[in-house]
Amino acid sequence: MTTTRASDSRDPAGGDPGAEQDRPRGTGTKGVPRARREEQILDAALEEFGRRGYAAASMAGIARRVGVTKPMLYTYFGSKDGLHTACVDRLGPRLLTAIDRAMASDPPAGQLPHAVLTAVFRTIEERRQAWFVLYDRTLPHGSGPWRAAQRHRDAIDALAASGTAALLHGKGNDDPLDADALKHVWTGTVGALVGWWVSHPELSAQDMSARCARLFAAVRDGA
């Protein structure tokens, strides 16, 4: 996801002067189990990274979302890179599992694309911006976050390649280039639909599933 805002400079040793002031009442750190605090931080970071992109997202902004100090983020995750990688490693397996289960459910012929899309929508419904944490064009090439995201993207691409090849094979087409081209069309379509969904927050995952069913039917029937 492209963004035009500058990223926040990191200061692992220093605090954020406004973090304590901006902390909402009742969201202090004492008494919160570490595992629960990590979940809160990851939820906030997925939202921040998804909305703003890696380059523009700030540790201070994430800390404010949680109601903690910026140094606490470094204590838990070590760096901005470490936090982003943790977000990717949280989201990636969930998406892969959902897609894999949808493909293994053996939907009727021609219904596999809709089944996979429905699985994606349901997985990210609560934090649909998180999709763009995996597909973030502002990640520095070769960095830890870039490698982590690429690993999960490659796994998702492998499932997409398998699905599109099977779909074409069912139509008597075993051309590998056709399958590869269709895989690219498919992955682009999924990203475009998620992007459209983000701009329509009033629509649920079920709404999107029903809409895509109608769109696929229209394309298939030429209506």
Side-chain angles (χ1 to χ4, degrees):
M1 180 176 63
T2 331
T3 179
T4 56
R5 300 185 183 180
S7 60
D8 180 67
S9 59
R10 288 180 287 157
D11 180 12
D16 176 12
E20 291 291 338
Q21 181 178 352
D22 291 340
R23 178 185 299 168
R25 293 182 180 180
T27 56
T29 62
K30 293 183 180 180
V32 179
R34 182 181 180 92
R36 174 59 183 152
R37 181 63 80 201
E38 286 184 355
E39 286 291 311
Q40 291 173 343
I41 292 171
L42 288 171
D43 284 345
L46 280 166
E47 186 76 12
E48 183 80 2
F49 286 130
R51 286 185 179 277
R52 297 170 60 81
Y54 173 88
S58 73
M59 295 293 268
I62 295 167
R64 281 193 294 272
R65 285 181 180 272
V66 185
V68 299
T69 61
K70 189 167 71 170
M72 175 170 281
L73 303 188
Y74 291 106
T75 298
Y76 274 61
F77 295 98
S79 65
K80 183 179 178 181
D81 281 7
L83 178 53
H84 191 283
T85 298
C87 287
V88 167
D89 287 340
R90 183 190 191 204
L91 174 65
R94 294 181 181 183
L95 276 171
L96 283 167
T97 298
I99 295 169
D100 192 42
R101 285 177 178 170
M103 294 177 66
S105 67
D106 195 24
Q111 295 301 310
L112 178 60
H114 180 252
V116 169
L117 266 178
T118 299
V120 169
F121 294 146
R122 288 174 176 168
T123 302
I124 63 173
E125 180 167 20
E126 296 304 316
R127 280 182 172 71
R128 54 194 75 176
Q129 294 277 1
W131 176 266
F132 301 106
V133 176
L134 275 182
Y135 295 90
D136 185 352
R137 296 180 182 178
T138 73
L139 290 174
H141 191 275
S143 66
W146 182 89
R147 290 195 302 272
Q150 187 64 47
R151 184 174 68 253
H152 292 294
R153 289 196 300 264
D154 286 346
I156 291 173
D157 274 358
L159 289 178
S162 171
T164 51
L167 191 66
L168 288 177
H169 178 75
K171 301 292 185 181
N173 183 344
D174 291 317
D175 187 322
L177 289 181
D178 279 1
D180 187 58
L182 184 58
K183 183 204 75 173
H184 282 78
V185 170
W186 169 247
T187 54
T189 298
V190 175
L193 285 169
V194 172
W196 186 87
W197 188 30
V198 165
S199 67
H200 293 81
E202 73 281 4
L203 299 178
S204 68
Q206 184 176 350
D207 293 333
M208 282 299 293
S209 176
R211 186 174 302 276
C212 287
R214 294 195 300 272
L215 294 176
F216 287 169
V219 170
R220 183 177 62 249
D221 299 338

